[in-house]
Amino acid sequence: MVDTTHEMQIGELAQMCHITTRTLRYYEDIGLIEPLRRLEGGFRVYGPETLARIQHIQELKDLLGWSLEEVKGVIQAEDEVDNLRSQYRQSRTDQERLAVVKQATGVIESQLAMVSERLGRLDGMRGTLQAKLQRYGELEAELREQVRSQEGKL
Amino acid sequence: MVDTTHEMQIGELAQMCHITTRTLRYYEDIGLIEPLRRLEGGFRVYGPETLARIQHIQELKDLLGWSLEEVKGVIQAEDEVDNLRSQYRQSRTDQERLAVVKQATGVIESQLAMVSERLGRLDGMRGTLQAKLQRYGELEAELREQVRSQEGKL
DNA sequence: TCATACTCTAACGTTAAGGTAAAGGCGCCG
DNA sequence: CGGCGCCTTTACCTTAACGTTAGAGTATGA
């Protein structure tokens, strides 16, 4: 069960995500998120699911370097599967629901492939960095020795 | 030894890097790269080191998501260490050279830390993706079963 | 020597992802 | 009910990283 107890307004949510309210409204503009509902005055009200959603968005954006437009495609596919469980859009036939799951599976698989590829390249990068660090260490030792011998001459 | 035999002009280099000539000139503008020399007519001439340099730049940009300005800082530190070996700027004292190596070591170390952190987060992401894939697989099997039983009713 | 393909500089255009400011409502405390 | 802090929309501004076009020069094979 999702904790529906802690509702919040845009400022608090922004703080928890370490982003600005402007960014949240912008994400809403481009269809990435939506408030649970609004107060009479028009104030946006969010639940904790949105916090998780934002974090998910930031992972896709920062870790995979995707644009918000690309991110949108992915989470929309995920959303559709989530909606299969709820009564919302229960109207689909089972064949249609199967198609939705298949499509989302494809999205996740390609995402997984991308993550794996990145893991490989990052690991390669780590290797070269470690090698470079070792070379620098040796160079430093060498230079230290030279400095020492020069100090001896004083 | 670096292969100095294969010199090329901007178009060929662009093709090998899968970028445009515009991008290469832009990188030059902001001080990321420089041609080996120019022909009389002003045409840029590059060596193969530049190809490696561009690939390095793209790794930092794409894999770590750094801006070109951040990339510049890193490769400048690396350049300085490389210059220690050549007669260029041989004028430094050993203390100064030691300082350069130390600074570059710091740069590489923080780079390594960042790579490691990203590796960890990416690995976590892979885990959740695999879990999600499994759930989708189960859901798909379930739906398939429902479709089968409905076909039986026809 | 001429045509063709490549290159040069300079300058304006574009897009994503927000930043910032203005002018005005809302909610609640005292 | 007055003030204070948060929220609303609208609208213009900014920056990075190039794209694109124009107008002119260069290199080279036929």
Side-chain angles (χ1 to χ4, degrees):
Chain A
M1 274 278 106
V2 176
D3 169 23
T4 171
T5 59
H6 187 55
E7 299 196 332
M8 46 195 160
Q9 297 188 9
I10 198 167
E12 192 181 349
L13 179 58
Q15 267 196 328
M16 300 187 68
C17 302
H18 308 110
I19 58 181
T20 67
T21 61
R22 172 64 167 103
T23 298
L24 285 171
R25 296 198 190 97
Y26 177 63
Y27 283 7
E28 185 176 336
D29 280 352
I30 63 176
L32 274 178
I33 62 172
E34 225 172 326
L36 234 40
R37 56 200 169 79
R38 298 257 192 157
L39 296 185
E40 297 73 22
F43 289 24
R44 292 167 177 83
V45 175
Y46 300 96
E49 332 69 55
T50 307
L51 172 56
R53 191 181 178 92
I54 301 277
Q55 285 165 349
H56 187 197
I57 290 170
Q58 307 235 314
E59 269 193 339
L60 294 176
K61 200 170 97 74
D62 299 341
L63 246 51
L64 298 188
W66 288 2
S67 72
L68 293 180
E69 201 52 39
E70 291 169 310
V71 169
K72 190 178 167 185
V74 170
I75 65 178
Q76 272 178 351
E78 294 171 6
D79 282 351
E80 289 213 64
V81 177
D82 290 350
N83 289 339
L84 290 185
R85 295 266 180 204
S86 67
Q87 66 270 55
Y88 182 58
R89 296 203 181 166
Q90 191 69 285
S91 50
R92 294 181 197 275
T93 70
D94 277 323
Q95 270 101 347
E96 283 168 342
R97 306 172 90 204
L98 189 54
V100 167
V101 173
K102 277 188 187 172
Q103 209 246 331
T105 300
V107 170
I108 301 295
E109 272 170 351
S110 73
Q111 211 177 137
L112 185 57
M114 189 153 179
V115 168
S116 299
E117 186 242 20
R118 249 151 207 269
L119 273 169
R121 288 173 57 193
L122 263 180
D123 198 60
M125 200 166 167
R126 180 171 57 179
T128 60
L129 281 175
Q130 281 169 338
K132 187 171 282 188
L133 213 50
Q134 180 159 359
R135 284 204 305 281
Y136 283 11
E138 288 161 8
L139 183 53
E140 187 177 334
E142 194 182 312
L143 285 171
R144 251 183 227 291
E145 192 48 44
Q146 305 218 345
V147 169
R148 179 194 310 266
S149 76
Q150 273 166 6
E151 278 172 348
K153 281 202 270 185
L154 292 183
Chain B
M1 275 277 107
V2 177
D3 170 24
T4 171
T5 59
H6 186 56
E7 298 195 333
M8 45 196 160
Q9 297 188 11
I10 199 168
E12 192 180 349
L13 178 58
Q15 266 196 327
M16 299 186 70
C17 303
H18 308 109
I19 57 181
T20 67
T21 60
R22 172 63 167 103
T23 299
L24 285 171
R25 294 198 191 98
Y26 177 65
Y27 283 5
E28 185 176 336
D29 280 352
I30 63 176
L32 274 179
I33 61 172
E34 224 172 327
L36 275 181
R37 56 199 170 78
R38 297 258 192 155
L39 296 184
E40 297 74 21
F43 287 24
R44 292 166 177 84
V45 175
Y46 300 96
E49 331 70 53
T50 307
L51 172 56
R53 191 181 179 91
I54 301 278
Q55 285 165 349
H56 187 197
I57 290 171
Q58 307 234 315
E59 269 193 339
L60 295 176
K61 199 170 98 73
D62 299 341
L63 246 51
L64 298 187
W66 289 3
S67 72
L68 293 180
E69 201 53 39
E70 291 170 310
V71 169
K72 190 178 166 186
V74 170
I75 64 179
Q76 273 178 352
E78 293 172 5
D79 282 351
E80 289 212 65
V81 177
D82 290 350
N83 289 340
L84 290 185
R85 295 266 180 203
S86 67
Q87 67 270 56
Y88 182 59
R89 295 201 181 167
Q90 190 67 286
S91 50
R92 295 180 195 276
T93 70
D94 278 321
Q95 270 101 347
E96 282 168 343
R97 306 173 89 206
L98 190 54
V100 167
V101 172
K102 277 188 188 172
Q103 208 246 333
T105 299
V107 170
I108 300 295
E109 272 170 351
S110 73
Q111 211 177 135
L112 186 55
M114 188 150 180
V115 167
S116 298
E117 185 242 21
R118 251 154 206 269
L119 273 169
R121 288 173 57 192
L122 263 180
D123 198 59
M125 201 166 167
R126 179 170 56 179
T128 60
L129 280 175
Q130 280 169 340
K132 186 171 283 189
L133 213 49
Q134 180 159 358
R135 285 205 305 281
Y136 283 11
E138 287 161 9
L139 183 53
E140 187 178 335
E142 193 181 312
L143 285 171
R144 250 184 229 290
E145 192 47 47
Q146 304 220 345
V147 168
R148 180 193 310 264
S149 75
Q150 273 166 8
E151 278 171 349
K153 280 200 269 185
L154 291 183

